Amino acid sequence: MSSSYASVVLGPVRLRGVTVRLRPPAFGDFAEWRRIRLRDRACLEPFWFRSSLTWEQRHTATRWVRECLTTRAEAEAGRRVSTVLEIDGRFAGQIELVGIDSGAAELSVWVDAEVARRGASGLAGSMLLDFGFGTAGLERITAPIAVTNAGARRAVRQRWTMEAVMAGYFDIGSGRVDHELWSVTSDRIPAGGFATDWLNGYLANHPAVEGPADTTGSSTGVAVSRYTILRARTRYCLGTLRHLADPLCSATAATARAQHGSVTIRPWRSGDFRRRRAARIAARPLLAPATPPEDWARLHTRREWWRARAASRRGLRSKHGAVLVVEESGRYVGECRLFDQDMFDRNVRAAVWVSPQAAPEVAVGALRLLIGHATERLGIWRVALAVPSTDHAGAAVALDAGLRHEGTMHRYPGVDGELSDHELWAFSTTHTTAACALGAGGEHS
């Protein structure tokens, strides 16, 4: 798997007399990006994230440069495939794979309304699917779609499956809206690939020759000046520094009393090595059932411990997220984790493991504490938990902790990396706090 996707170029591919190509975004795309998005405001804004800024203020040269810098950094880190759609060499939208991790990613698409129904956007999406499942080695690609977005729901037909309805998933123009979770997995790759399959289907169902889209129009933007680029770079760097001190980088302790004794979650301490090693070795049947006991024990060295601690220093913004110790009456009995926050920092995933020797109430108490820590201290709106479909005890813990079952995810990567069906459970807040609203409206650097 490539360590960087910053220079991905796909195509060109011909479709009904036009050339479709995907390439990385560039500063010079600003004028067309602004022109199209201002013109298509009625189509885009109802399903775009909410902001206190006007639509025009959200489409300045500075914001486009910052978006380019952000996507480039994510692509270089191997967490994102960011491309723009070109139709006959003209900018016509953006298509991305975001949140790449553990063989999975999310597809994000918006296209020029004048070419959206002429096949090019569907072909481009299929080209990116081929790259994701091919070069990037992904096993699963998802697409969250607002239940109110009928157009996007019609578009995800080619071998996609609707798996769940995610409550309060995203704060769009009309408020927090439920989203359907659609997915396509590597076992559904058609012969010849998605692009070929899509082309064959489209040409068979659209035999009439369509006139070319009207791609003319004056740009409402201006060329990006060197001063604007410098200012955007400076603000981007300052924003990165601000993130180092925000609450998402911390993992403060929390304590509550469950039905079975005192359950606490807290950050790692330097003296936790021996107790953590003993707890993880005891939990091998849960964490790595296929690994022989002697091999599992050899993995838990002091070097591994310090490496894990160093990797989690940045809390939720670290690669593996915020890790917290689960204690029962002072005993190290497990760990819980918040990770994989979305680009607006309001949705996260959770994971909890507790020693088999601990009472079931300990896991329930720890999960309740973790949800409280996320929603009340970090301003998170939604916490999702993936439970293997065969893990009935885990489902009972999720239910008792107050999570809601939303659907079944297919070929989902489990804690051991194996692909299997998982049940999606989630806790979603029913109201937006002032702090959350401020965070959503600020459009992160």
Side-chain angles (χ1 to χ4, degrees), residues 156-169:
V156 287
R157 295 175 179 173
Q158 184 194 22
R159 302 178 184 271
W160 289 78
T161 301
M162 204 276 277
E163 297 181 329
V165 177
M166 302 182 292
Y169 179 74

Side-chain angles (χ1 to χ4, degrees), residues 131-435:
F131 178 86
F133 287 119
T135 303
L138 301 179
E139 297 286 350
R140 171 182 167 84
I141 296 175
T142 59
I145 298 177
V147 295
T148 54
N149 193 346
R153 294 166 71 193
R154 286 193 298 268
V156 287
R157 295 175 179 173
Q158 184 194 22
R159 302 178 184 271
W160 289 78
T161 301
M162 204 276 277
E163 297 181 329
V165 177
M166 302 182 292
Y169 179 74
F170 197 49
D171 192 33
I172 61 177
S174 58
R176 290 182 63 192
V177 172
D178 295 353
H179 279 59
E180 294 175 347
L181 178 64
W182 290 79
S183 79
V184 61
T185 51
S186 59
D187 59 333
R188 305 194 70 183
I189 299 175
F194 284 96
T196 298
D197 183 67
W198 190 93
L199 271 173
N200 291 339
Y202 182 83
L203 295 175
N205 293 316
H206 299 78
V209 176
E210 303 174 3
D214 181 9
T215 59
T216 61
S218 60
S219 170
T220 58
V222 295
V224 181
S225 68
R226 291 184 179 180
Y227 170 73
T228 298
I229 294 174
L230 177 61
R231 183 176 61 180
R233 285 186 185 276
T234 301
R235 294 181 64 180
Y236 173 77
C237 293
L238 291 175
T240 302
L241 292 175
R242 284 199 305 272
H243 281 328
L244 296 177
D246 70 18
L248 297 179
C249 291
S250 65
T252 56
T255 304
R257 189 167 295 277
Q259 294 179 357
H260 183 79
S262 178
V263 178
T264 304
I265 61 174
R266 61 164 177 81
W268 272 331
R269 297 170 183 160
S270 57
D272 281 333
F273 167 66
R274 293 185 183 278
R275 296 197 300 163
R276 176 180 183 267
R277 185 176 189 274
R280 286 183 61 85
I281 289 175
R284 183 193 61 82
L286 294 175
L287 302 176
T291 304
E294 58 276 11
D295 292 344
W296 181 244
R298 280 196 293 267
L299 291 175
H300 293 84
T301 63
R302 193 173 294 274
R303 175 179 294 182
E304 179 273 333
W305 153 244
W306 286 112
R307 184 181 295 118
R309 281 203 73 197
S312 64
R313 286 286 185 185
R314 295 188 60 206
L316 189 51
R317 294 200 187 282
S318 66
K319 180 179 179 181
H320 300 293
V323 181
L324 296 165
V325 175
V326 178
E327 285 188 331
E328 180 196 14
S329 300
R331 296 186 303 114
Y332 196 123
V333 295
E335 294 169 358
C336 54
R337 185 162 66 103
L338 294 171
F339 62 105
D340 194 25
Q341 85 274 19
D342 68 357
M343 67 179 70
F344 305 109
D345 299 332
R346 299 310 171 203
N347 297 335
V348 299
R349 291 162 59 192
V352 178
W353 68 265
V354 172
S355 170
Q357 286 73 41
E361 293 85 351
V362 176
V364 174
L367 184 53
R368 286 175 178 168
L369 286 171
L370 188 66
I371 291 171
H373 174 64
T375 58
E376 297 169 14
R377 301 190 179 199
L378 301 183
I380 300 299
W381 287 343
R382 173 186 161 87
V383 180
L385 180 72
V387 179
S389 297
T390 56
D391 185 1
H392 303 299
V397 168
L399 181 63
D400 290 345
L403 279 71
R404 175 176 175 268
H405 182 251
E406 296 182 331
T408 302
M409 302 182 294
H410 305 289
R411 289 180 65 81
Y412 183 88
V415 293
D416 57 359
E418 295 295 323
L419 301 174
S420 63
D421 288 355
H422 280 62
E423 304 305 312
L424 177 61
W425 293 80
F427 178 90
S428 180
T429 58
T430 56
H431 65 279
T432 302
T433 65

